[in-house]
């Protein structure tokens, strides 16, 4: 009788072995891989017994050894860290080593990748060419090499930052568990946060790529509980301060914001050639060009979260009690402005959305389809935490070159209807005199510029121009460019609100266009007229390069499992193609206002704006509703949606677009 003890215990799940009877559960020392299959003959074993054991071992097929290796790794106790248990198993014999080493059996390591890391995001974002066993096995090695360096806290490499950033972008629980519980990412971030304050090639404000990646990792891995550490929160706010105070010195958009129609054409555009910041990395064994994420957006998010936590920990100033208690009292005393009730709401309840944490769902199931060279099982996986970063991901892979054609991985950069609803947050602004001083004197340290904050409350509606209607043209400013200071809209337009739509009249063309109002709470998205327009066919790209399962190599024996024959992950023979389905929306106009309650406290404003289809950049022109309050000025808010937060930069509109105006950061979260 032959017994094999795996990972300290045997379970019924291993009953697939032929000729082997398994105990219900048998305890063994954790350090042992096998107790009763000897690497060398036991002294007390007879020659006949040794021959019997060797013959039994020889009957084990590649699939059985693969299952043994997988279950040796796949348990709650072996989830974190690299699959070091396989090293012990490979010492059993040369045949076992050949059956389970990575060169001969990439599908085993692809299974291990799926066990240890999240795959829902890559199932959504990539074609099958990125999900083959070779791709996943290669990514498994790359990740644990990077995580080992992070765990050791001895080296700082930009490639490791890319690995962490993309893992957090794909995180649905398992990735963050590997990062924080095994690689000790939080301790690494705290160390490097201070270490980068010194003088080195990777110090803060000298390495733009590292600054951007580090800032986004800090945001994606942070929480209100962590920021309750006052010292940590203070250092973090101190480092992020320059990116907010002088954000005009850093990239704020993925393409010039005066451009509404993209891509640009260098031979036709009069402005200087715009050079976006992009890098090429290895991701799932493929070369991939990515735009560098915007450091200013991450800095505004972190700064705002630090401010909110500070407000949670500190009481409201006593001077507030000089205000009227509530709106009824203020009206009775004929007082305009904020009340105690309004200040308490902003101080204690107005909050943006911080990154959510996910509990890892560990699956010990040996999926037969995961070894398929076409990429494994592609069942519909419900979106989780990673889905909030899908639009950010598309911007990275498709918005790195405003002069180029659409890359093959291009997808949705804006979720239809995502702006409709109520928003609350704050805008950050420096002292005006200090801002002018920093503009005139670039050597003035930005930390000397104190930031102030004011609340923002918006009720927004989305209106869509549906095919076959033609949208209104873009606005033209005084220097001949797209009029970004008027939210890319023609000057002098009038907007007439209907029950379920708006009509936009352009006096420059003497033309009126109907935009259907998006209905976020209704059973359908538009009125009957709008729904009738939406019967659109597929709009497809060149899909001739799609690969069926017949194009893969199904004959994967122990001698060629992992060998290069003809595989869909070969970039020299295959390339990605993309097919888009038209949403029927050719243009998006945003309208909004402050509610009566919030307007009485902080000022009444109306908003109108537009969405740039190339990268999802949102512009909102805020105008005082009362003509007698024009002194408040017209401000333009420009930013991107990051999950449920709209974050970016605002500026006044009295200064020409090609000059630095009075500006700051802002962020609002959707209720």
């Amino acid at each position: 009788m032959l017994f094999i003890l795996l990972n300290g215990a045997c379970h019924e799940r291993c009953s697939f072995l032929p000729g082997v009877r398994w105990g219900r559960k048998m305890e063994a020392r954790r350090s042992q891989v096998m107790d009763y299959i000897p690497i060398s003959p036991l002294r007390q074993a007879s020659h006949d017994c040794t021959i019997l054991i060797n013959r039994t071992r020889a009957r084990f097929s590649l699939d059985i050894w693969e299952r043994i290796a997988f279950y040796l790794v796949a348990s709650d106790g072996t989830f974190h860290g690299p699959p070091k248990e396989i090293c012990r198993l490979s010492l059993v014999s040369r045949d076992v080593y050949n059956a389970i080493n990575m060169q001969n059996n990439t599908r085993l390591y692809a299974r291990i990748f799926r066990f240890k890391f999240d795959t829902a995001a890559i199932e959504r974002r990539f074609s099958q060419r990125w999900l083959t066993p070779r791709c996943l096995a290669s990514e498994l090695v790359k990740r644990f090499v990077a995580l080992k360096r992070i765990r050791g806290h001895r080296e700082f490499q930009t490639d490791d930052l890319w690995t962490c950033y993309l893992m957090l972008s794909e995180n649905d629980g398992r990735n963050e568990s590997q990062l924080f519980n095994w690689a000790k990412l939080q301790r690494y971030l705290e160390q490097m946060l201070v270490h980068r304050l010194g003088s080195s090639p990777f110090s803060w404000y000298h390495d733009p790529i590292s600054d951007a990646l580090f800032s986004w990792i800090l945001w994606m891995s942070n929480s209100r509980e962590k920021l309750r550490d006052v010292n940590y929160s203070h250092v973090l706010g101190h480092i992020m301060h320059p990116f907010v105070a002088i954000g005009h010195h850093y990239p704020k958009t993925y393409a010039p914001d005066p451009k509404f129609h993209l891509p640009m054409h260098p031979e036709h555009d009069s402005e200087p050639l715009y050079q976006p910041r992009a890098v090429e990395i290895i991701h799932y064994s493929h070369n991939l060009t990515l735009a560098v994420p915007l450091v200013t957006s991450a800095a505004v998010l972190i700064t705002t979260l630090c401010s909110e936590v500070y407000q949670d920990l500190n009481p409201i100033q006593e001077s507030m009690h000089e205000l009227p208690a509530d709106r009824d009292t203020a009206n009775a005393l004929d007082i305009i402005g904020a009340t105690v009730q309004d200040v308490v709401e902003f101080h204690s309840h107005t909050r943006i959305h911080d990154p959510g944490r996910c509990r890892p769902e560990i699956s010990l199931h040996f999926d037969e389809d995961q070894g398929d060279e076409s990429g494994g099982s592609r069942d519909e996986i419900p979106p989780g935490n990673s889905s909030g970063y899908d639009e950010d991901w598309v911007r990275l892979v498709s918005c790195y070159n405003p002069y180029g054609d659409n890359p093959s991985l291009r997808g949705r950069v804006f979720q239809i209807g995502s702006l409709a609803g109520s928003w609350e947050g704050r805008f950050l602004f420096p002292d005006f005199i200090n801002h002018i001083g920093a503009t005139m004197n670039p050597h003035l340290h930005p930390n000397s510029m104190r930031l102030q904050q004011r609340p923002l409350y918006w009720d927004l509606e989305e209106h869509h121009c549906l095919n076959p209607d033609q949208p209104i043209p873009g606005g033209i400013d005084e220097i001949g460019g797209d009029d970004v200071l008027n939210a890319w809209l023609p000057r002098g337009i009038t907007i007439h609100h209907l029950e379920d739509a708006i009509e936009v009249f352009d006096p420059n063309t003497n033309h009126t266009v109907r935009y259907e109002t998006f209905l976020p709470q209704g059973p359908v998205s538009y009125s009957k007229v709008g729904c009738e327009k939406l019967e659109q066919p597929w709009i497809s790209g060149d899909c001739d390069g799609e690969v069926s399962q017949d194009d893969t190599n199904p004959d994967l024996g122990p001698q060629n499992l992992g060998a290069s024959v003809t595989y869909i992950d070969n970039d020299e023979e295959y390339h990605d193609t993309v097919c888009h389905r038209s949403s029927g929306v050719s243009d998006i106009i945003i309208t909004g206002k402050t509610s009566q309650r919030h307007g009485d406290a902080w000022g009444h404003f109306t908003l109108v704006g537009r969405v740039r289809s190339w990268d999802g950049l949102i512009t909102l022109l805020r105008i005082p509703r009362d003509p007698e309050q024009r002194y408040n000025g017209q401000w333009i808010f420009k930013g991107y949606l990051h999950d449920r937060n709209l974050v970016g930069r605002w500026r006044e509109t009295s200064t020409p677009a090609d000059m630095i105006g009075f500006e700051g950061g802002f962020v609002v979260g959707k209720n």
Side-chain angles (χ1 to χ4, degrees):
M1 185 180 296
L2 180 65
F3 291 91
I4 301 178
L5 301 186
L6 300 180
N7 200 30
C10 291
H11 299 274
E12 286 186 340
R13 69 183 183 191
C14 300
S15 59
F16 54 81
L17 288 177
V20 179
R21 188 169 63 188
W22 294 86
R24 182 70 175 180
K25 186 171 183 180
M26 304 179 65
E27 296 298 326
R29 294 189 302 275
R30 300 290 295 180
S31 62
Q32 289 181 316
V33 178
M34 298 184 179
D35 276 358
Y36 299 108
I37 291 187
I39 298 175
S40 60
L42 298 174
R43 291 180 180 178
Q44 65 271 26
S46 65
H47 178 69
D48 293 340
C49 183
T50 303
I51 295 177
L52 176 61
I53 292 176
N54 288 334
R55 288 177 178 175
T56 305
R57 182 192 300 161
R59 294 211 311 267
F60 291 177
S61 66
L62 172 69
D63 178 68
I64 291 177
W65 281 117
E66 185 176 329
R67 288 172 181 261
I68 293 175
F70 174 77
Y71 284 125
L72 188 62
V73 172
S75 71
D76 293 337
T78 58
F79 171 71
H80 291 112
K84 58 182 182 296
E85 296 80 12
I86 290 185
C87 296
R88 306 168 191 167
L89 181 61
S90 65
L91 298 176
V92 170
S93 72
R94 186 185 302 274
D95 291 339
V96 175
Y97 171 80
N98 290 333
I100 65 175
N101 73 56
M102 183 172 292
Q103 183 178 359
N104 293 336
N105 197 341
T106 54
R107 71 183 184 189
L108 167 62
Y109 295 87
R111 296 183 195 277
I112 296 173
F113 178 90
R114 292 179 180 273
F115 166 67
K116 290 182 175 287
F117 296 103
D118 295 302
T119 58
I122 61 177
E123 294 278 357
R124 292 193 307 271
R125 299 173 184 176
F126 291 114
S127 68
Q128 295 178 356
R129 290 185 354 94
W130 299 70
L131 303 172
T132 65
R134 272 174 307 282
C135 294
L136 298 184
S138 174
E139 186 69 11
L140 178 74
V141 174
K142 188 193 79 172
R143 288 190 180 185
F144 277 122
V145 169
L147 296 184
K148 185 177 180 180
R149 280 194 293 263
I150 292 171
R151 181 182 170 94
H153 306 146
R154 297 187 184 93
E155 297 181 62
F156 179 88
Q157 294 191 18
T158 305
D159 287 345
D160 294 344
L161 295 182
W162 276 113
T163 298
C164 290
Y165 173 76
L166 294 175
M167 283 181 64
L168 289 171
S169 171
E170 298 170 2
N171 173 54
D172 287 304
R174 300 182 195 177
N175 287 3
E176 77 173 57
S177 187
Q178 297 288 355
L179 285 167
F180 291 103
N181 296 334
W182 188 79
K184 310 300 180 185
L185 178 63
Q186 185 61 35
R187 188 170 60 183
Y188 171 83
L189 293 175
E190 293 171 359
Q191 258 189 0
M192 291 302 171
L193 193 67
V194 177
H195 175 72
R196 294 191 68 214
L197 289 173
S199 57
S200 72
F202 297 105
S203 61
W204 283 104
Y205 321 119
H206 292 88
D207 182 5
I209 296 177
S210 296
D211 287 349
L213 293 173
F214 208 96
S215 299
W216 274 106
I217 292 171
L218 285 169
W219 163 252
M220 298 163 78
S221 62
N222 247 318
S223 66
R224 299 183 189 276
E225 289 70 25
K226 293 177 184 177
L227 292 177
R228 288 181 177 273
D229 183 336
V230 177
N231 293 329
Y232 175 63
S233 180
H234 176 75
V235 172
L236 195 57
H238 177 80
I239 292 174
M240 293 295 113
H241 186 90
F243 298 122
V244 181
I246 54 172
H248 52 275
H249 287 172
Y250 301 96
K252 303 180 291 293
T253 59
Y254 291 97
D257 52 31
K259 294 296 180 181
F260 180 61
H261 300 287
L262 293 166
M264 299 189 296
H265 302 283
E267 62 275 12
H268 301 308
D269 288 306
S270 58
E271 63 182 54
L273 193 65
Y274 180 81
Q275 295 292 342
R277 186 170 286 122
V279 298
E280 186 173 287
I281 66 169
I282 301 296
H283 196 46
Y284 293 95
S285 79
H286 294 274
N287 292 326
L288 181 65
T289 302
L290 296 174
V292 177
L294 304 175
V295 65
T296 51
S297 297
V300 170
L301 288 166
I302 293 172
T303 301
T304 300
L305 194 62
C306 289
S307 298
E308 292 179 352
V309 172
Y310 177 84
Q311 292 174 198
D312 292 337
L313 298 176
N314 293 274
I316 303 176
Q317 297 178 0
E318 294 182 2
S319 59
M320 181 203 67
H321 298 293
E322 301 174 1
L323 301 174
D326 51 32
R327 183 55 48 201
D328 291 338
T329 304
N331 292 338
L333 298 174
D334 197 23
I335 296 177
I336 300 175
T339 67
V340 172
Q341 187 181 44
D342 298 320
V343 175
V344 169
E345 179 187 20
F346 175 64
H347 186 91
S348 304
H349 304 294
T350 299
R351 297 293 182 262
I352 63 172
H353 300 284
D354 59 337
R357 300 272 71 89
C358 295
R359 291 178 58 88
E361 295 184 4
I362 302 175
S363 173
L364 307 180
H365 179 60
F366 187 91
D367 190 348
E368 298 286 354
D369 295 331
Q370 287 183 4
D372 195 323
E373 282 296 312
S374 63
S377 175
R378 295 184 62 89
D379 297 334
E380 288 296 326
I381 303 175
N385 187 69
S386 64
S387 61
Y389 297 107
D390 282 352
E391 281 76 22
D392 291 336
W393 162 258
V394 174
R395 278 189 280 268
L396 294 186
V397 298
S398 60
C399 298
Y400 56 83
N401 183 9
Y403 300 98
D405 296 328
N406 288 338
S408 58
L409 293 178
R410 183 167 182 81
R412 184 187 68 199
V413 294
F414 180 83
Q415 173 65 51
I416 295 296
S418 56
L419 281 176
S422 297
W423 298 78
E424 60 181 32
R426 66 191 67 201
F427 65 92
L428 316 173
F429 60 98
D431 177 78
F432 181 74
I433 301 301
N434 288 341
H435 176 78
I436 297 299
T439 303
M440 302 295 292
N441 180 14
H443 300 292
L444 181 67
H445 199 285
N447 281 328
S448 64
M449 300 172 60
R450 182 171 176 268
L451 290 174
Q452 303 179 57
Q453 305 183 34
R454 293 268 291 182
L456 289 173
Y457 298 100
W458 297 339
D459 293 332
L460 301 180
E461 289 185 330
E462 270 191 40
H463 313 280
H464 302 157
C465 180
L466 303 180
N467 294 329
D469 295 345
Q470 293 297 315
I472 61 171
I476 305 298
D477 59 22
E478 62 273 9
I479 60 177
D482 296 334
D483 197 353
V484 66
L485 296 184
N486 200 51
W488 300 312
L489 294 167
R491 301 272 175 170
I493 64 169
T494 58
I495 298 178
H496 178 54
H497 285 264
L498 306 176
E499 181 181 359
D500 49 19
I502 60 172
E503 290 182 344
V504 184
F505 174 72
D506 181 8
N508 304 292
T509 61
N510 200 30
H511 186 58
T512 300
V513 181
R514 177 185 172 98
Y515 282 68
E516 301 293 335
T517 301
F518 183 83
L519 308 174
Q521 304 298 333
V524 293
S525 299
Y526 305 101
S527 65
K528 181 180 179 181
V529 175
C531 290
E532 290 174 351
K533 295 180 181 179
L534 281 180
E535 297 179 1
Q536 296 296 321
W538 280 82
I539 298 178
S540 301
D542 179 13
C543 295
D544 294 337
E546 284 190 337
V547 180
S548 66
Q549 194 165 345
D550 294 337
D551 294 317
T552 63
N553 179 21
D555 185 15
L556 298 173
Q559 71 281 1
N560 62 6
L561 190 62
S564 176
V565 185
T566 300
Y567 295 115
I568 61 175
D569 55 17
N570 188 333
D571 289 338
E572 296 182 359
E573 298 186 22
Y574 295 94
H575 67 277
D576 293 297
T577 60
V578 61
C579 296
H580 297 284
R581 183 176 184 179
S582 173
S583 65
V585 177
S586 58
D587 189 29
I588 300 175
I589 286 181
I590 311 298
T591 62
K593 62 181 180 180
T594 52
S595 66
Q596 184 67 36
R597 179 169 65 89
H598 292 125
D600 290 342
W602 311 107
H604 289 277
F605 298 92
T606 60
L607 298 104
V608 62
R610 216 167 188 178
V611 179
R612 186 165 69 181
S613 61
W614 186 76
D615 59 350
L617 179 63
I618 299 160
T619 60
L620 291 169
L621 179 65
R622 194 185 73 165
I623 306 171
R625 194 176 72 181
D626 188 350
E628 296 182 358
Q629 296 182 354
R630 294 293 181 181
Y631 56 82
N632 285 327
Q634 296 186 10
W635 287 8
I636 190 76
F637 293 79
K638 301 172 290 185
Y640 296 96
L641 276 173
H642 298 285
D643 196 7
R644 293 172 292 168
N645 295 315
L646 172 58
V647 58
R649 304 283 298 177
W650 64 266
R651 61 159 288 173
E652 46 78 28
T653 59
S654 60
T655 307
D658 57 347
M659 298 178 63
I660 298 175
F662 183 49
E663 66 172 68
F666 82 94
V667 57
V668 288
K670 192 173 187 178
N671 287 337

